[in-house]
Amino acid sequence: MKIIEDAIKRGADNLSEFESKQLLSTYGIPVTKEKTATTIEETVSVANSIGYPVVLKASGENLQHKTELDLIRLNLKDASQVRQAYTELLEESTVPITEVLVQQMLKGNRELLAGLKRDSQFGPCVVFGLGGILAEILEDVSIRVAPITTFDAMDMMENIRGKKILESFRGKPPVDRNALAELLVALGRIGLENNAVGEIDINPIKLIQGRPVAVDALVVLQKES
């Protein structure tokens, strides 16, 4: 796939967030509306086209931990806030920033994670569980060896301790399990069809009207064997 090939040619260890979501989208995985920009005027123009509120993130393959570096600005409601956020990111960052990612702001109070791990013995494995900032603490995940079927994906949903989050919640509809199953099956396909993909981390996945949308994603590359 060209996105992966281009990244490998330039010696990248991973795809940028924007590139990662482009790869996911190619496999039918729903992602946020977003676009990169390199100037303040282009950033405002992109924000206007996406519609407010938006999120502004520093973008690039070397910026895997944007939250820890304070390189994200949330819930920007108009052009003036976008301009201020753009200026802050460039002036306050301790790492060089050549572009920003303008992304639609999705508000959902349920967060899941999904991904792909490449095991030395079993090969690509699909991961699903509770997401958000507490994911590493809760460690509530289910894992299956790819390829997985829709039945396998449904079973993964039933095998996390916090599975009630998939049901109706605080007036919100239950998760569209078919759509979530398609996402998990697609992750397995990515791992099987792209040996250069070593790992995929989608966290969080937000539920918008019950349907899963990838809000943040990272694809880690490896040398093909």
Side-chain angles (χ1 to χ4, degrees):
M1 187 163 289
K2 191 174 187 303
I3 295 175
I4 297 174
E5 292 173 354
D6 289 346
I8 292 174
K9 286 179 181 177
R10 65 175 184 263
D13 294 323
N14 57 266
L15 302 183
S16 69
E17 179 180 344
F18 180 63
E19 291 170 331
S20 296
K21 289 187 196 161
Q22 283 185 308
L23 175 63
L24 298 181
S25 182
T26 299
Y27 279 81
I29 296 176
V31 301
T32 50
K33 295 179 183 178
E34 58 187 41
K35 188 176 180 181
T36 56
T38 57
T39 67
I40 191 168
E41 294 304 329
E42 184 183 10
T43 301
V44 171
S45 176
V46 171
N48 289 337
S49 66
I50 290 176
Y52 297 97
V54 297
V55 177
L56 207 61
K57 301 178 179 179
S59 178
E61 63 198 36
N62 297 318
L63 295 170
Q64 303 99 313
H65 306 291
K66 293 182 285 292
T67 300
E68 291 87 339
L69 295 171
D70 192 28
L71 296 179
I72 300 176
R73 298 294 183 270
L74 302 172
N75 203 29
L76 306 176
K77 298 176 180 178
D78 54 40
S80 64
Q81 290 187 3
V82 169
R83 290 177 185 275
Q84 179 180 348
Y86 182 95
T87 302
E88 287 178 0
L89 288 180
L90 266 65
E91 290 182 351
E92 299 176 9
S93 174
T94 57
V95 296
I97 297 176
T98 57
E99 66 178 19
V100 295
L101 180 64
V102 189
Q103 175 182 306
Q104 70 178 138
M105 177 83 185
L106 294 183
K107 296 181 179 180
N109 50 15
R110 289 180 289 177
E111 296 184 330
L112 306 172
L113 67 78
L116 185 86
K117 307 289 184 183
R118 197 172 288 275
D119 184 84
S120 59
Q121 181 177 355
F122 298 107
C125 300
V126 178
V127 181
F128 168 73
L130 297 185
I133 60 175
L134 298 179
E136 294 182 8
I137 297 174
L138 297 174
E139 294 185 334
D140 187 4
V141 298
S142 179
I143 302 174
R144 295 290 186 280
V145 177
I148 68 168
T149 64
T150 299
F151 177 86
D152 295 326
M154 295 289 186
D155 192 50
M156 292 175 76
M157 299 176 208
E158 288 297 315
N159 275 274
I160 59 172
R161 298 188 303 276
K163 63 183 179 181
K164 283 191 175 181
I165 199 174
L166 304 177
E167 301 172 4
S168 297
F169 182 79
R170 295 185 178 179
K172 301 296 183 180
V175 68
D176 184 332
R177 294 192 179 228
N178 289 324
L180 185 53
E182 289 176 2
L183 184 155
L184 296 174
V185 170
L187 284 172
R189 285 179 52 218
I190 294 174
L192 290 170
E193 296 175 8
N194 301 276
N195 290 331
V197 173
E199 183 177 336
I200 300 174
D201 181 18
I202 310 175
N203 183 24
I205 295 170
K206 286 189 180 269
L207 299 178
I208 308 302
Q209 299 301 314
R211 293 185 62 82
V213 179
V215 174
D216 200 348
L218 175 67
V219 174
V220 178
L221 303 174
Q222 68 171 12
K223 291 183 178 179
E224 294 193 52
S225 56

